[in-house]
Amino acid sequence: MDSRNRMTEDFELGHYVHALEASSNRIRYLIFALIVVTLIVFVAFRQGKGRGWTNSRAKLMREAVAAKVWEPGVQKNLTNCMGVLEKVQQRPDYAANRKAFEREVSNWWGFEDCKKFNYVVSMMGLNTQKAVEGWLDDIEEARIENVFIMRMPFLGTPFDVNDLGIFSGLTFMVLLLTLLFASARQYENLYLSLWKVRELAREEDGHDAHGRANLLYHALSMTQLFTTPPSLARWKTSGSDYIPKVLLVLPLLMQAWVVYNDRLTDNLAISLNETALLWGRRIEHTSLALIFIATVGCILYGIASDRQWKKAFFIVNPLYRRKIQPRWLEWMSLCRSHRTPGWGIAVDARLPRRHVYVTNLEAAKVWQITEEPGKPAVPPKVVATRRCRELWLASDGALYGDDLPRKEAESLRVWRLDGTGRPADDDLGWGILRCPDGYAYALEGRGGAPFLARRRISDGKKGRLSRVAGGRRGILDGEKEDAGFLWLHAVTLGPDDAFYVTDAGCIRRITRLGVVSTVGGLPIGAASRYPRSRLLGLAVSKDHGIFAADFDLRQIWQIAWDGESPAMHAEPKWRNRWLWSPAGVAVAGDDLYILEHRPDTILGILLSWAWTRSRVRKVDLKGSGKPVVLARLGRRSKAFAVA
C-alpha cells in the first residue's frame, strides 16, 4: 500500500472513531443528566416525605380559622351537615351528581365543604382555635424551610411532595426516551465500526497485536465511558458491565418510590383535592410505565453492545479466550505481579540416605534436606548462598545451579557443588544441564525468540554454541529453526533421550535431532492460562510419566506414557490449597518430591515474611498417593521425619 492510500485509509478510520465517539458522548451526557435529576428528586422527596398536600392544607386551615370551627355552635352544625350528607349518599342518583349534592348540603349549613371541615375537626383533633392556628403556623413554616415548596428546580413553580411525582415522572420519561433513541443510534454506529474492525482482521495483519485491526478496535474502545469493552489490558469485564445498567435503573426505582409514597396519602388527598389527585395519578402511572419500557430498552441495547465488543475483540485476539488476566490485586500493583519463583529441586538417591536440594530465590539460599528413614529428622541446612532459580544433579553426583545477576550489567553464572561441600563457580560457566555426551544444554533468548542451545564442555574446553531447536516466537511444532517457543522456563532430560521443556502453558518435547512437538495439550490440560504462564518445574520418569508444577493454577499435572511416547492429554494429579503453590518437582524411584512456595498474594507475602517461605512435600507414587510434608523452609525452618 502506497503512502497516499494509507493516508486515505487513516482518514477513513478516523471518521469511524469520531462517529462512535459522538454517539457515545450523547449517551454519556444523558446518563449524567439522569443521575443529577435523580439526586434532585431524592433530596426533594426526603425533605417533603410525610408532609404532602401542603398547599391544600394551608388553604384549608385558613378557611377553618375564618369559619371558627372550634366554636360549639359551629361544630354542632358541622355534625348535622355530615349526618344529612350521609343520608344523601344513599340516594340512587348520588353518584352521578355527587359534587352538586355535596355543595348544596354544605352551603345550607354554612360551610364551603363539610367533608374538609369534618376532617379538620374530628380526624386532626383541631377542636380549639389555638390548635388550628398552631397547625397553620407549622404549615407556613414548612412552606418556607422545606425544599419541596421552594421555587426550584422546575421553572420556578412552587410544588409540594405529592406534585413531585408529576414533575419527576415527566422529566425522567423525556430523558429516558431520548436515551433510548440515542442508544439505538449508537448501536448502529458501533455495529458499523466493529464491522470495519472485522474486515481489517481478515487481512494479513488481522491477528497481530500491533496490527491495524487492534489499533482501530482499541481507538474505538477508548471513546467509551459507561461501558467497559475488553482490551489487551483487561479482557474479562463481566463485573464492570453491570455498572452502567445499575445507573439506568436508578430513575425507575426513584420514580416507583415516589409513586408508592403518593399512594399512601390517597385518603388524605381525595378529601382535599380529588380532581388533582386523579389527574396526578394518571400522569404518574403513565410516565412510570414509559420509564420502565425505556429503561428495559436501554439495558437491552447495552447488553447487545457488550456482545458486539466481546465478539470483535476475540476475533482480533483469538488466543485471549484461553488466557487468564491479572488479578485485581496485581492490576492495582498491591501485590507482586507474576513473579517467577525458583523451581529448582534435585534428589541425590544414590545412597539409602537421600539428599534433597531445593532453592529459595528470594532469600538467596540453596537448602539441603537429609532424609534417612527410621532416624530422627535432621534440620535443613544452607549449602549455598546463591540467587538460584533451577538445579540439575549430574550423573556423577555434582550439583549444578544458576546464579542470577543482581544488576543488569552482570552476566548469568553457573556454580557447582561437588564432594568438597563448598560451592564454586563452574570453570566453563554455561548451562546447568550436563549430559554424559560431553555437552551442556541451556535455554537461550527467553525474551525474544527462545531456543534450546548446547555447548561442548568436555576436555576442559568451552566449545562453540550451537542451536538444537527453536528460532521463532510462538507455540510452533516443527524441526530445528522452523520450530518456535514462547516463554521457556525449565528443561530436563527424559528416559527416552529427549529433552522436555516447559514453554508458557505447554510442555514441549525436543529430540536430539531437533524435532519439537507439544505433549499434554495446548495448553496443558486445556486449562485457561495467564498470558505469561508459570508452568515451572518439570520431572520425567520412565515408570510414572511426566510431572509438571503449575504455579498459577496451584496443581501438579501428570502425563502418562502412551507406549514409548507421552500421551497427548494431561490429568491434574494434586491441587494445592490457596496458601501454597507448587513450583518444582523431582522424581526419585517411586517417590515424587514437590517444592512449594507461598502464592503471590498479600496474605502469601505476609506469611512468607512472618513464618515460612517454602515447603517440600513427598508423595509415594505406589502407596496412598497422599503428599506428606518433608520440611518447611524460611524464618522457622524445620524438617519432619518420614517413615
Side-chain angles (χ1 to χ4, degrees):
M1 181 182 295
D2 57 29
S3 59
R4 178 169 298 184
N5 291 337
R6 179 58 61 89
M7 290 177 61
T8 302
E9 185 177 352
D10 291 342
F11 183 75
E12 178 187 352
L13 299 184
H15 271 289
Y16 280 103
V17 177
H18 176 73
L20 185 62
E21 183 179 10
S23 60
S24 300
N25 285 338
R26 288 193 291 268
I27 293 178
R28 186 179 309 168
Y29 300 147
L30 287 170
I31 293 179
F32 275 133
L34 282 171
I35 295 173
V36 173
V37 172
T38 303
L39 292 176
I40 293 175
V41 173
F42 175 77
V43 172
F45 178 76
R46 291 297 299 171
Q47 291 290 335
K49 185 180 180 182
R51 294 189 176 187
W53 300 94
T54 306
N55 292 331
S56 300
R57 278 188 282 177
K59 181 180 179 181
L60 178 62
M61 293 302 106
R62 292 192 188 95
E63 294 176 354
V65 172
K68 299 181 180 180
V69 296
W70 57 85
E71 294 182 358
V74 176
Q75 294 185 21
K76 183 179 179 180
N77 290 340
L78 179 61
T79 303
N80 294 332
C81 176
M82 291 302 300
V84 174
L85 187 59
E86 290 177 359
K87 293 180 180 179
V88 172
Q89 291 175 352
Q90 298 176 2
R91 295 177 56 171
D93 56 344
Y94 174 79
N97 304 286
R98 179 175 57 84
K99 291 186 178 180
F101 284 131
E102 291 179 356
R103 188 181 305 110
E104 181 180 356
V105 173
S106 299
N107 292 335
W108 176 261
W109 291 99
F111 299 108
E112 183 178 343
D113 193 325
C114 287
K115 285 187 176 181
K116 292 182 180 179
F117 284 145
N118 182 67
Y119 179 82
V120 171
V121 176
S122 61
M123 298 185 66
M124 290 189 174
L126 304 180
N127 299 319
T128 64
Q129 180 181 3
K130 184 178 180 181
V132 175
E133 292 177 347
W135 184 255
L136 182 60
D137 291 339
D138 291 339
I139 293 178
E140 293 295 341
E141 183 180 356
R143 286 171 59 88
I144 297 172
E145 293 184 354
N146 287 289
V147 175
F148 64 84
I149 208 61
M150 294 176 62
R151 295 181 180 273
M152 284 288 290
F154 299 103
L155 303 179
T157 304
F159 64 94
D160 59 47
V161 69
N162 291 83
D163 300 325
L164 181 62
I166 300 174
F167 293 116
S168 62
L170 293 175
T171 306
F172 285 141
M173 180 182 66
V174 171
L175 288 176
L176 279 167
L177 289 176
T178 306
L179 180 61
L180 179 61
F181 178 77
S183 299
R185 297 296 296 166
Q186 195 264 355
Y187 183 75
E188 293 177 7
N189 290 334
L190 176 65
Y191 182 86
L192 294 175
S193 300
L194 295 183
W195 172 81
K196 183 63 176 179
V197 171
R198 292 189 290 268
E199 185 181 70
L200 291 175
R202 287 192 290 268
E203 298 178 2
E204 184 177 358
D205 64 347
H207 300 310
D208 184 8
H210 304 286
R212 299 177 66 77
N214 251 323
L215 178 63
L216 176 59
Y217 173 87
H218 284 82
L220 295 170
S221 67
M222 291 303 104
T223 63
Q224 305 303 301
L225 177 63
F226 285 107
T227 56
T228 52
S231 66
L232 292 174
R234 302 284 286 176
W235 53 93
K236 291 184 179 180
T237 59
S238 57
S240 57
D241 286 345
Y242 294 104
I243 296 177
K245 299 173 182 58
V246 172
L247 295 177
L248 293 176
V249 175
L250 291 179
L252 175 63
L253 297 178
M254 188 70 243
Q255 182 64 16
W257 191 17
V258 173
V259 172
Y260 173 74
N261 180 75
D262 288 355
R263 298 288 297 179
L264 298 179
T265 61
D266 277 353
N267 292 333
L268 170 62
I270 198 171
S271 65
L272 299 178
N273 196 337
E274 183 178 6
T275 302
L277 172 70
L278 294 177
W279 279 103
R281 293 296 181 269
R282 291 168 185 169
I283 296 174
E284 289 180 358
H285 292 167
T286 302
S287 60
L288 181 62
L290 292 176
I291 290 171
F292 175 78
I293 295 173
T295 301
V296 172
C298 292
I299 292 176
L300 292 178
Y301 272 116
I303 295 174
S305 298
D306 293 339
R307 291 178 178 172
Q308 287 290 339
W309 283 113
K310 293 178 181 179
K311 180 180 179 181
F313 176 79
F314 288 118
I315 288 176
V316 179
N317 304 282
L319 295 179
Y320 278 72
R321 290 183 180 275
R322 304 208 64 87
K323 290 186 178 181
I324 303 175
Q325 67 183 9
R327 293 174 292 118
W328 178 81
L329 293 175
E330 297 169 345
W331 178 252
M332 300 296 293
S333 300
L334 296 178
C335 67
R336 292 173 288 191
S337 178
H338 272 69
R339 65 184 178 92
T340 302
W343 60 83
I345 179 170
V347 182
D348 188 355
R350 295 177 300 168
L351 300 174
R353 180 179 60 183
R354 290 181 177 178
H355 292 308
V356 182
Y357 301 95
V358 295
T359 65
N360 191 325
L361 177 61
E362 294 182 346
K365 295 178 181 179
V366 179
W367 297 85
Q368 175 185 298
I369 303 169
T370 302
E371 180 192 9
E372 190 168 358
K375 292 188 177 182
V378 179
K381 66 177 182 178
V382 178
V383 296
T385 54
R386 304 293 178 109
R387 297 186 69 246
C388 187
R389 180 180 50 193
E390 49 187 336
L391 297 172
W392 174 258
L393 189 67
S395 57
D396 59 356
L399 182 69
Y400 292 88
D402 56 355
D403 192 0
L404 298 181
R406 296 183 179 273
K407 299 180 181 179
E408 294 183 0
E410 298 178 354
S411 59
L412 179 69
R413 294 177 296 178
V414 176
W415 55 271
R416 180 181 68 254
L417 181 68
D418 51 21
T420 62
R422 295 180 179 180
D425 290 339
D426 185 47
D427 294 336
L428 301 178
W430 187 86
I432 68 166
L433 197 157
R434 306 299 176 98
C435 294
D437 59 2
Y439 284 92
Y441 294 83
L443 304 174
E444 293 290 315
R446 279 190 168 91
F451 60 93
L452 177 66
R454 69 175 185 175
R455 175 176 284 171
R456 178 171 291 279
I457 45 89
S458 59
D459 303 329
K461 296 181 180 180
K462 184 188 298 185
R464 183 175 61 88
L465 182 69
S466 61
R467 182 175 302 190
V468 178
R472 301 171 62 188
R473 186 161 181 80
I475 309 297
L476 305 172
D477 293 345
E479 297 184 9
K480 298 185 178 180
E481 287 80 3
D482 292 333
F485 301 100
L486 188 60
W487 194 263
L488 298 174
H489 282 119
V491 56
T492 189
L493 185 63
D496 54 350
D497 202 34
F499 298 98
Y500 292 86
V501 298
T502 54
D503 181 13
C506 306
I507 295 179
R508 317 293 298 282
R509 180 178 182 269
I510 309 171
T511 66
R512 294 281 183 167
L513 299 177
V515 179
V516 180
S517 59
T518 303
V519 298
L522 180 63
I524 186 171
S528 299
R529 310 294 311 182
Y530 287 100
R532 185 170 169 178
S533 297
R534 291 174 295 181
L535 187 66
L536 301 178
L538 192 63
V540 185
S541 170
K542 184 177 182 180
D543 298 326
H544 305 288
I546 303 172
F547 297 93
D550 196 332
F551 193 81
D552 289 329
L553 303 185
R554 303 194 306 275
Q555 64 186 14
I556 300 294
W557 296 95
Q558 183 181 17
I559 304 175
W561 290 109
D562 185 8
E564 296 297 327
S565 60
M568 297 305 296
H569 185 70
E571 297 291 340
K573 190 67 175 177
W574 295 281
R575 181 172 178 82
N576 286 67
R577 294 183 178 180
W578 53 285
L579 290 179
W580 295 99
S581 289
V585 286
V587 178
D590 294 327
D591 296 324
L592 176 69
Y593 294 84
I594 307 171
L595 170 62
E596 299 172 344
H597 300 303
R598 297 290 185 184
D600 49 1
T601 61
I602 293 179
L603 182 58
I605 295 172
L606 293 176
L607 290 175
S608 64
W609 177 81
W611 190 23
T612 56
R613 295 178 181 270
S614 311
R615 73 177 182 181
V616 178
R617 293 203 295 173
K618 177 182 176 181
V619 182
D620 184 0
L621 297 175
K622 287 191 174 181
S624 62
K626 183 178 180 180
V628 295
V629 178
L630 188 63
R632 288 194 177 97
L633 308 171
R635 290 181 177 269
R636 302 177 182 178
S637 302
K638 184 178 180 181
F640 301 88
V642 180

